[in-house]
Amino acid sequence: MKHLRQFISLSFIIFISSCDSQTNSCSELGNTIKKDNILLTSIDTLSLDQAHHFLKEQQEGISSLLKFSKINLELSTSTEDTIYHKEPIFDDFSDPILPNDTLATRLNYFFSKLYIRQQITYPSSYVSMNMYSLNMDIVKEHWNDPQNMPSIKIEKVFNTDKTISKDTTNFDKVSYRELGVAIPSSKYIDSIQVNITYTYPIIEEIILEHKNTRTKLPSGTVALENKTGNTILLSYPNTIRDKIIAIKGVHKSEKNLKHIGSSSNTKPSEEMLSYLECFNNKLKTTIKQIDSKKIKSKKVLASFLLKNTPIPPKNEQVTLSTYQFSGNVQKVKVYIQTGVSTKIKKTYIIKRSERDQKPTINYFLTVDKEKEKMGFVNEKGAWVILPEFEDLRMANDYYYHGKYKEDLNQTYWLDTNNNILKLVNYKLDEYEIFPENLVNIEKKTNGPEGVINAKTGHIIIPMKYDYIRPVNGFFITDLNNQEELYDKKGRKVLNKTFSSIQIKENLVFTSINTDTYYDKKDIYTLQGKNITNGKWNDFEDVSGKNGFGKDGLLLVYKKSSENNFMQVKNKAFINKEGKVIIDLNSYKEAKSFSNGLAAVRNNDTGLWGYINSNGKIVIPFLYENARYFMEKYACVEKNETAFLIDKNNKIFKQFSDNIQSSSITIDTNEAEYHLYNEESYDAEGNLIKGKESSTN
């Protein structure tokens, strides 16, 4: 407690000074204190003995402070030997500290990609911009200062009715992420032209390493005091502490290491420590002068102190910061804000966001500022549906949710033929508007579904189905697991119900469950014409991506079961008219076409070859297995060895093992071949996974 009291007293004497002299050597005292200095005024009312005691307390306090500072510095600089023995963890996701020219380019791009939102508050509008999308924390912090906030001034407003309004209004900061401005118009806005004036922080990169451990800046010196393993010790003046943007520990690989911990403390600056040493000696001399009776009065004491006490320097302290990283540090990068850029002024055209585009019909949701009710204005900003509603929320161009009596989630339909907003007794199953202004509706949540024409209000598919699935301009309905197909006019395409309906490549694939092993399957045109008429009961990979594929041919089967044994009675490739193009009954097995060729298996030898879309054998029956052709090559197997062959049956690559499994997309060049030895290759024989990577 004694030392604490002495230190407080010392702080009171030394650090409350209006002088800024930088004298730091007893041999070069320069100026000395004046009569109004707090040291002299503090002893003015004391007796000589009391002044002697007071000065002795100050001298002991300074000695303790100097001793403490020395020990503190020694402890800080003697960092523990912490060699990092684990694999380094790199900071790949940290915000980059960009060079100033790159920063300026990024900011120009950011402003060019801003978007506006408009809330029409008749007879005016509120326009806002979201600034939060800026992904540069350095600039965000700079702009958080009101003095640095960008100035955004409107010059012109471009309305969707092709009119242009001139304006000189500035955007104001509404929140930490939003700028907003009121403009005197209720017209729907397409875009605005603005002048943006802004600045950004100037960032300097300092690199500290064994060859260069200190960098002197106008505001003080940044020094690497110690570097051991994954731990560094930095020192810098407190005056620049808040200007340090980031400190990066750099691995020998030149990658930034992940920061895992830090601590800091402060000590007086070198100038202040030198001054305290000097002042401490002066106090010792003064005390000895009193003890030896050379100073016999308060007047002599005051005169002696006036002549011998130096003026203190500025009270600048130094921060000592220890940082630890997840890897051994080769060098240190310190990023400091050293200034602010000159003002940049540019003109931009700011559009609406992609999610806030103009409705396809010219009805714009509007709040009446005086009534605080909601209605709709047209493109000219005039009322077309008077403001009589509360809490309306847009679902799509024709439907809104809003309050009716106590219910906040009632559904309203916008009747554009009669300019009214009408409360309806159904809900939206989906918000999307399909071609011909069609919308899925339901009687209640998870209730029977139907389809309505949102423009006319006419229900074209009755609300009786368990679910309705829109596909390519058609609607597949399901009721009790029986499916039907409707077109966009609400007409039934097929006069039957099916257990399954799929629309693929402008054809309709149907299936009816039977008591046999195979369902009854057929293919129809979108006009309802049956092109297969029960000739086939199995289609190759109809639910997948290929279907008829690039070659317009579908692999079909006629299968039957006799004595619980499945048999293929007939197989062929057919075209989209249902005509047999290639009869496959002379082959034991076949696979779908891919990139112009199809693998077929010989009836006698069981070996595989390939045919073209005319049915001609172009690669002979040589292989024990044959996979789908990619753009250049197909994977085949012979004598327990896998190869890639081209369309001329030339071997492009021989693999080191046989194929364990493969992943192939027909009619593309996407394939992966996985070998038993754990290697994997792509469609062109490039290694994508080696043996060693399988264990990582």
Side-chain angles (χ1 to χ4, degrees), residues 27-59:
S27 61
E28 300 175 0
L29 284 176
N31 296 329
T32 56
I33 60 174
K34 298 178 180 179
K35 289 183 179 181
D36 60 350
N37 186 271
I38 194 169
L39 176 62
L40 295 179
T41 58
S42 296
I43 65 174
D44 187 47
T45 59
L46 303 178
S47 66
L48 184 62
D49 286 343
Q50 289 173 330
H52 175 269
H53 179 71
F54 175 76
L55 293 175
K56 196 169 183 180
E57 278 190 334
Q58 306 315 309
Q59 188 272 318

Side-chain angles (χ1 to χ4, degrees), residues 252-268:
K252 62 183 179 181
S253 64
E254 294 295 325
K255 293 182 179 180
N256 291 337
L257 293 161
K258 188 174 182 180
H259 173 235
I260 58 175
S262 63
S263 62
S264 64
N265 54 56
T266 59
K267 72 179 185 69

Side-chain angles (χ1 to χ4, degrees), residues 492-511:
K492 280 188 182 180
V493 177
L494 306 176
N495 292 320
K496 295 181 181 179
T497 59
F498 301 89
S499 55
S500 172
I501 295 176
Q502 296 181 46
I503 297 179
K504 193 175 183 66
E505 301 181 41
N506 293 322
L507 290 171
V508 183
F509 293 81
T510 65
S511 178

Side-chain angles (χ1 to χ4, degrees), residues 46 76 159 162 240 266 276 300 333 396 449 504 546 551 557 560 599 622 660 689:
L46 303 178
S76 297
N159 303 303
K162 307 302 181 183
I240 68 171
T266 59
L276 291 176
V300 176
K333 291 182 179 179
N396 58 39
E449 296 181 15
K504 193 175 183 66
N546 58 318
D551 296 281
Y557 302 94
S560 65
L622 299 171
Q660 183 183 38
K689 179 183 175 184

Side-chain angles (χ1 to χ4, degrees), residues 52 113-114 198 208 214 326 467 530 535 571 590-591 634 671:
H52 175 269
K113 295 299 180 182
L114 281 176
Y198 64 96
L208 302 173
R214 306 175 77 81
S326 59
Y467 73 82
N530 191 334
K535 293 179 182 178
K571 55 185 178 289
K591 296 182 180 180

Side-chain angles (χ1 to χ4, degrees), residues 234-247:
L234 295 179
S235 68
Y236 43 85
N238 280 11
T239 52
I240 68 171
R241 179 171 55 191
D242 294 337
K243 296 180 181 179
I244 294 179
I245 304 300
I247 294 173

Side-chain angles (χ1 to χ4, degrees), residues 547-561:
F548 280 85
K550 287 181 180 179
D551 296 281
L553 297 175
L554 177 68
L555 180 57
V556 295
Y557 302 94
K558 184 71 172 181
K559 296 180 179 179
S560 65
S561 176

Side-chain angles (χ1 to χ4, degrees), residues 16-17 57 176 251 271 352 444 482 495 517 520 562 630:
I16 302 180
S17 172
E57 278 190 334
Y176 73 101
H251 189 254
E271 290 81 4
R352 305 181 78 94
K444 60 181 180 179
Q482 293 296 305
N495 292 320
Y517 281 92
K520 184 179 179 182
E562 297 178 7
M630 297 293 94

